[in-house]
Amino acid sequence: MATALIYLVLVLIAVSLLMMVGFGLKNAGTVLSQSKLGLAAFALPVLIFVIAYAVDGTATGAAVATALSLTLSGFLALIISGARSLFS
C-alpha cells in the first residue's frame, strides 16, 4: 500500500511540474515581449540555481537552495505589497 502511495505522489509531482512548465511557456511569449523585467523574472531561478550549484557543488543542494530563496523572496514580496497597500 505504501509503495502505491509513493508512486501516486511522484506522479502528482510530475504532473504539477509539467503544468508549471507548460503554463510558464504559454505565458512567456506575452510577458517577454512586453518588458525586460519579464525576461529577468524567467531567468532569475536559473541564475540562482547556477550560483547555488557553484557554491554547493551538488544539484540537490542547489535545487533546495533555489526553492528556499524563491519561496522567501515571494513571501517578502507579499509582505511588502500588503504593507504598501495597508499604508496607502
Side-chain angles (χ1 to χ4, degrees), residues 5-53:
L5 291 176
I6 290 171
Y7 284 121
L8 176 65
V9 168
L10 289 175
V11 167
L12 289 174
I13 290 171
V15 168
S16 298
L17 287 173
L18 286 174
M19 288 176 63
M20 284 191 288
V21 168
F23 286 121
L25 290 175
K26 177 184 160 227
N27 294 328
T30 58
V31 171
L32 294 180
S33 65
Q34 292 176 358
S35 69
K36 300 266 188 233
L37 185 61
L39 179 61
F42 278 96
L44 183 65
V46 176
L47 179 66
I48 292 173
F49 181 80
V50 169
I51 291 170
Y53 185 76

Side-chain angles (χ1 to χ4, degrees), residues 36-88:
K36 300 266 188 233
L37 185 61
L39 179 61
F42 278 96
L44 183 65
V46 176
L47 179 66
I48 292 173
F49 181 80
V50 169
I51 291 170
Y53 185 76
V55 170
D56 189 40
T58 63
T60 305
V64 170
T66 303
L68 185 62
S69 64
L70 291 175
T71 301
L72 291 176
S73 66
F75 183 65
L76 183 65
L78 284 173
I79 290 174
I80 291 171
S81 174
R84 207 170 59 184
S85 66
L86 180 67
F87 295 118
S88 64

